[in-house]
């Protein structure tokens, strides 16, 4: 939530760049007060935390605020006490990774946890690691006037796997701040800031935002005392439909698993684990279609199967492409950038997935996510009324493009043929 609040402030300020073009003058006099922007972000963060804490109030008699550690599979040591339980759920989350190389310069290193506690914005920052969080924060800081260099050897661009969309995203992001595809290393730190290197080049910056992944909070938890084997990354492995660590009385949910580290998945997992931990027999639950959103502008989203995951299954799908460059509503909004790719199963026309770099892509992704959850086919989706002028028209263009590749003659123009012939349709009929 604090990262989204910072993005909101940054995007609001960024919009001033289009004001004179649309007839609003005076935008050159606007300025960012970094301290107030960060205070606003903290206020919102605290407000959201308070509302979660209010929810806990109802059952606070059952809450112990302390670190727990497994003594064995059925008991925990908590604050010097021992708590016995038939079933135990581990939902200890994760924390930002801090590789050893950066420890000597820790004073100049921020993480996505500590960034929002800064009282002022830095003038120059290097963002190391451009996964979703790093990408969002790089763009937000750049839009707030911070000089940003973003460095990552992989440049995942929100996990996009379509080469065409990756190129589009890369070009759009690179137009806003410096992108370097390489591994970064610290050189030295001083009162003036920190020097870093990558790709045989050197940058002097005030701060580094290290966003190079997260570490599961399992160290110190004593899971080995409970007979649980951890993977190389320190995460336990569960059956994703029951959330049980196989062969144990222990369940795990959320970011500690390092799998689907997003909030709605963590909530689902917690509910499944809680349901099963309270019953004799585990129930398997269907998981929702995958949905990943990076809230940079334009938004990047992957719904259902990515292009690469479907490619590995052979040429079973038809891809439809549409650009937002000439899309009416996107032009009106001054956001006509990006494209959508939609993947359909070739035989059935069933929606398999989509990748988007699109204005308001978060909402388009949810539209497609709803269709995926209903296991909709192309002909079902084309029945959805789409008002004019809206960005969803761009999705329809991609669907029609995919339809043309399916060569299914049941799909006439945008909608389905009726089964019955209309009365008097045949000329000359009695
Ligand atoms: C910068 C950033 C941006 C994000 N943006 C999004 C987004 O846009 N959308 C989205 O869906 N998700 C986003 N996420 C991910 C989302 O925040 C997480 O998926 C979610 O908070 C995970 O919840 P959790 O309960 O598993 O872990 P947490 O929220 O980390 O909770 C774990 C809790 O366990 C406690 N704990 C740890 N060890 C112990 C112990 N030994 N004993 C007792 N308690 C312990 C911790 O104190 C903590 O309170 C973002 C995350 C980050 C870092």
């Amino acid at each position: 939530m604090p990262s989204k609040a910072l993005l909101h402030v940054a995007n609001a300020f960024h919009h001033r760049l289009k004001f004179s073009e649309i007839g609003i003058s005076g935008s050159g006099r606007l300025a960012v007060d970094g301290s107030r922007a960060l205070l606003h972000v903290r206020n919102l963060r605290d407000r959201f935390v308070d509302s979660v804490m209010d929810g806990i109030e109802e059952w606070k008699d059952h809450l112990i605020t302390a670190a727990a550690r497994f003594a064995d599979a059925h008991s925990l040591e908590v604050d010097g006490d021992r708590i016995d339980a038939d079933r135990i759920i581990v939902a200890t989350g994760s924390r930002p990774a801090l590789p050893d190389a950066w420890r000597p310069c820790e004073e100049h290193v921020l993480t996505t946890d500590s960034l929002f506690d800064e009282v002022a914005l830095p003038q120059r920052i290097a963002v190391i690691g451009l996964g979703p969080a790093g990408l969002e924060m790089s763009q937000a800081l750049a839009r707030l006037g911070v000089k940003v260099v973003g460095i990552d050897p992989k440049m995942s661009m929100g996990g996009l796997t379509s080469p065409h969309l990756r190129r589009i995203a890369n070009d759009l992001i690179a137009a806003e701040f410096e992108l370097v595809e390489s591994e970064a290393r610290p050189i030295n730190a001083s009162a003036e800031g920190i020097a870093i290197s990558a790709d045989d080049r050197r940058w002097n910056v005030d701060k580094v935002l290290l966003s190079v992944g997260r570490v599961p909070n399992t160290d110190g938890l004593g899971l080995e005392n409970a007979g649980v084997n951890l993977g190389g990354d320190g995460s336990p492995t569960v059956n994703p439909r029951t959330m049980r660590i196989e062969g144990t009385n222990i369940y795990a949910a959320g970011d500690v698993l390092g799998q689907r580290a997003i909030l709605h998945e963590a909530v689902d997992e917690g509910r499944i684990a809680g349901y099963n931990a309270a019953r004799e027999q585990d129930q398997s639950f269907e998981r929702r279609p995958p949905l990943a959103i990076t809230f940079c502008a334009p938004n990047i989203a992957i719904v259902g199967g990515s292009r690469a995951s479907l490619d590995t299954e052979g040429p079973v799908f038809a891809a439809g492409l549409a650009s937002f460059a000439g899309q009416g509503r996107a032009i009106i909004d001054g956001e006509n950038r990006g494209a959508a790719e939609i993947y359909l199963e070739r035989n059935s026309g069933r929606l398999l997935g989509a990748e988007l770099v699109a204005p308001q892509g978060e909402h388009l992704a949810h539209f497609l996510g709803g269709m995926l959850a209903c296991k909709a086919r192309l002909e079902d989706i084309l029945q959805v009324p789409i008002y004019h002028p809206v960005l969803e028209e761009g999705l329809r263009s991609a669907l029609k493009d995919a339809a043309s590749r399916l060569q299914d003659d049941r799909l006439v123009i945008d909608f389905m043929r009726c089964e019955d012939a209309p009365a008097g349709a045949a000329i000359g009929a009695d």
Side-chain angles (χ1 to χ4, degrees):
M1 297 295 262
S3 56
K4 305 319 161 246
L6 191 69
L7 271 166
H8 175 75
V9 177
N11 290 340
F13 185 56
H14 184 76
H15 283 143
R16 80 194 184 289
L17 301 178
K18 297 184 192 132
F19 282 177
S20 71
E21 188 187 327
I22 60 172
I24 303 173
S25 59
S27 58
R29 292 195 297 278
L30 295 175
V32 172
D33 179 337
S35 303
R36 284 195 59 179
L38 285 163
L39 180 65
H40 165 73
V41 167
R42 277 196 296 282
N43 285 342
L44 283 187
R45 176 193 67 183
D46 296 346
R47 175 179 166 173
F48 294 127
V49 171
D50 285 349
S51 77
V52 174
M53 297 313 279
D54 287 348
I56 289 174
E57 196 60 21
E58 272 176 40
W59 48 274
K60 70 171 190 294
D61 294 346
H62 301 273
L63 179 70
I64 303 169
T65 306
R69 180 181 165 78
F70 281 85
D72 60 47
H74 287 280
S75 50
L76 297 168
E77 290 160 0
V78 183
D79 231 0
D81 289 334
R82 195 178 167 101
I83 297 174
D84 295 325
D86 293 332
R87 313 274 166 80
I88 296 173
I89 301 172
V90 175
T92 49
S94 63
R95 60 181 186 277
L98 180 60
D100 287 343
W102 294 92
R103 285 189 194 279
C105 325
E106 222 170 321
E107 210 180 307
H108 297 279
V109 171
L110 300 171
T111 65
T112 47
D113 281 1
S114 61
L115 170 66
F116 310 109
D117 289 320
E118 290 293 284
V119 289
L121 290 172
Q123 288 186 338
R124 306 159 300 171
I125 196 165
V127 180
I128 316 292
L130 296 174
L135 193 54
E136 288 175 0
M137 290 304 89
S138 306
Q139 192 182 49
L141 291 166
R143 288 186 167 196
L144 288 167
V146 178
K147 188 167 169 46
V148 175
V149 54
I151 307 176
D152 191 314
K154 289 206 192 101
M155 228 39 107
S156 72
M157 287 295 147
L160 289 170
T161 67
S162 151
H164 178 63
L165 295 188
R166 280 178 66 87
R167 255 191 316 278
I168 291 176
N170 197 86
D171 291 351
L172 290 172
I173 299 290
E176 297 200 31
F177 59 91
E178 187 179 6
L179 283 181
V180 181
E181 194 159 349
S182 182
E183 196 163 332
R185 281 185 312 279
I187 301 175
N188 54 45
S190 68
E192 275 75 59
I194 171 168
I196 60 158
S197 73
D199 203 19
D200 293 333
R201 293 162 64 199
R202 178 190 169 114
W203 290 264
N204 295 311
V205 291
D206 305 311
K207 295 278 183 186
V208 161
L209 173 63
L210 207 54
S211 180
V212 291
R214 298 183 66 90
V215 180
N217 290 325
T218 50
D219 39 351
L221 196 57
L223 273 164
E224 63 283 1
N225 301 333
V228 173
N229 295 322
L230 298 175
D233 65 347
S235 298
T237 304
V238 293
N239 174 337
R241 292 173 182 270
T242 63
M243 305 318 293
R244 186 194 281 263
I245 301 175
E246 298 286 11
T248 73
N249 59 313
I250 301 166
Y251 298 77
D255 283 17
V256 70
L257 294 169
Q259 294 290 318
R260 303 170 170 92
I262 42 178
L263 191 74
H264 71 277
E265 295 283 6
V267 170
D268 285 353
E269 290 172 358
R271 291 176 74 90
I272 295 173
Y275 183 97
N276 281 334
R279 284 170 175 75
E280 280 307 310
Q281 189 74 36
D282 280 354
Q283 168 73 49
S284 278
F285 290 91
E286 192 75 44
R287 299 297 297 268
R288 296 178 212 275
L291 171 63
I293 299 175
T294 302
F295 291 93
C296 54
N299 296 160
I300 294 176
I302 303 175
V303 201
S306 65
R307 179 165 199 130
S309 72
L310 299 170
D311 265 348
T312 58
E313 289 167 23
V316 292
F317 72 95
L321 173 71
S323 165
F324 284 90
Q327 208 264 338
R329 178 57 181 273
I331 293 172
I332 291 171
D333 292 349
E335 302 287 350
N336 51 321
R337 309 170 308 156
E341 270 187 16
I342 296 185
Y343 313 123
L344 302 173
E345 193 170 54
R346 194 168 281 284
N347 290 339
S348 65
R350 191 166 62 87
L351 178 64
L352 297 176
E355 296 194 3
L356 313 169
V357 183
Q360 304 287 326
E362 56 176 298
H363 301 299
L364 304 181
H366 278 87
F367 174 91
L368 292 169
M371 294 296 140
L372 269 167
C374 297
K375 302 185 169 44
R377 295 161 304 159
L378 176 63
E379 56 214 71
D380 306 317
I381 308 172
L382 289 177
Q383 290 294 312
V384 175
I386 293 184
Y387 215 81
H388 175 73
V390 295
L391 293 163
E392 283 78 357
E393 288 172 302
L395 289 186
R396 188 165 55 199
S397 302
L399 286 160
K400 283 164 69 178
D401 186 42
S404 70
R405 290 162 211 279
L406 288 177
Q407 293 170 334
D408 183 340
D409 64 6
R410 289 174 309 153
L411 298 162
V412 193
I413 46 181
D414 271 24
F415 33 101
M416 291 292 293
R417 267 184 226 272
C418 291
E419 292 296 326
D420 306 327
I427 293 168
D430 289 335

